[in-house]
Amino acid sequence: MIPNPWDAGSARVLAALGFRALATTSSGFAFTLGRLDGDVTLDEVVGHVAALDRATDLPLSVDLENGYGPDPGSAALAITRVAEAGAVGASIEDYDPAGGLYDLERAAERVVAAVGAARRLGFPFMLTARAENHIRGNPHLDDTIARLRAFEEAGADVLYAPGLRSVEEIGAVCQAVSKPVNVLALGGLSFDEITAAGARRVSVGGGLTWVALKAMVDAAGAIRDTGDFSALAARLPLGDWLASPPE
């Protein structure tokens, strides 16, 4: 289980709760800047990674979207930059907001470049390759599997297809490849169900960000509409969670 903090504070809390690794969320981070997913720069992500790396001593993987550029060199540069900022893993996806899904050959070339950059770092770096078709208007399992197989052949350490929604889909993907598969958690499946289907890692994407935001919106709505401040009675052990910053 690898949860996704959206800022240094949430990273510290997740570390205090006992999680053993963290992954960034592009949508959650974009929200902290008042933007939608896909509207941040590599420089901003690098700064975010550095802040999360300082916040805890847990290993950190980074959601690098498409690597902030369409060519293989952009994917390679993004890996190098976040590794220099403290990350020990990252994901590269096969979707460009400006042009849609990359064709299979180009998508695989970008993974090859990212893998090459990761292997040149001089320390272990886990490269995750993402097939985005399920959440980008092309939810065809055969295409997902073909892309993940190509990414496996390109050298990716972990394979990931966000948008798988059933144990049958998860099982089909996991049986079709030999590398570990990451699955994006959804409300309808438990951790045990996801892992029983073959997944080796489960992440939550921006989910925890939206849980926190919903709590704020519900409380603020009650204040605005009825003058109800009862939600403000919440008390949290912040002193325990934030007491010992990493050295």
Side-chain angles (χ1 to χ4, degrees):
M1 185 69 235
I2 184 167
N4 304 72
W6 59 94
D7 61 9
S10 58
R12 292 284 302 279
V13 170
L14 291 170
L17 291 176
F19 289 99
R20 298 172 62 184
L22 302 173
T24 70
T25 159
S26 62
S27 61
F29 174 52
F31 173 75
T32 69
L33 302 177
R35 305 178 199 161
L36 293 174
D37 196 12
D39 194 22
V40 300
T41 68
L42 177 57
D43 285 343
E44 289 170 330
V45 170
V46 169
H48 176 55
V49 170
L52 294 189
D53 181 58
R54 290 191 300 269
T56 84
D57 58 4
L58 297 182
L60 178 67
S61 184
V62 182
D63 179 352
L64 282 175
E65 303 183 69
N66 74 329
Y68 306 97
D71 57 285
S74 295
L77 176 62
I79 295 295
T80 303
R81 292 282 310 279
V82 297
E84 291 171 347
V88 293
S91 63
I92 292 289
E93 63 191 46
D94 58 357
Y95 174 80
D96 188 331
L101 290 166
Y102 299 118
D103 64 62
L104 184 56
E105 181 178 357
R106 187 179 188 191
E109 289 174 351
R110 299 174 79 259
V111 174
V112 168
V115 169
R119 300 298 178 261
R120 291 190 295 270
L121 292 172
F123 59 87
F125 190 95
M126 186 172 291
L127 193 286
T128 300
R130 291 175 52 152
E132 294 283 294
N133 59 305
H134 256 71
I135 59 173
R136 304 297 183 182
N138 183 34
H140 299 295
L141 201 59
D142 289 344
D143 185 42
T144 302
I145 290 171
R147 288 173 178 271
L148 294 181
R149 282 175 169 167
F151 299 161
E152 179 176 21
E153 186 174 341
D157 301 303
V158 178
L159 306 172
Y160 181 17
L164 301 179
R165 295 186 173 276
S166 68
V167 294
E168 291 78 17
E169 289 183 339
I170 295 168
V173 166
C174 293
Q175 291 168 21
V177 298
S178 61
K179 291 291 181 71
V181 173
N182 182 94
V183 169
L184 177 65
L186 298 169
L189 294 176
S190 69
F191 180 83
D192 287 344
E193 289 172 320
I194 293 170
T195 55
R200 297 290 300 278
R201 190 176 76 183
V202 181
S203 57
V204 301
L208 290 175
T209 314
W210 315 134
V211 170
L213 179 60
K214 184 178 187 306
M216 187 199 78
V217 169
D218 288 347
I223 292 169
R224 178 198 61 200
D225 296 338
T226 66
D228 179 2
F229 296 102
S230 59
L232 304 185
R235 294 293 179 266
L236 300 170
L238 295 179
D240 295 333
W241 292 341
L242 306 180
S244 301
E247 299 179 358

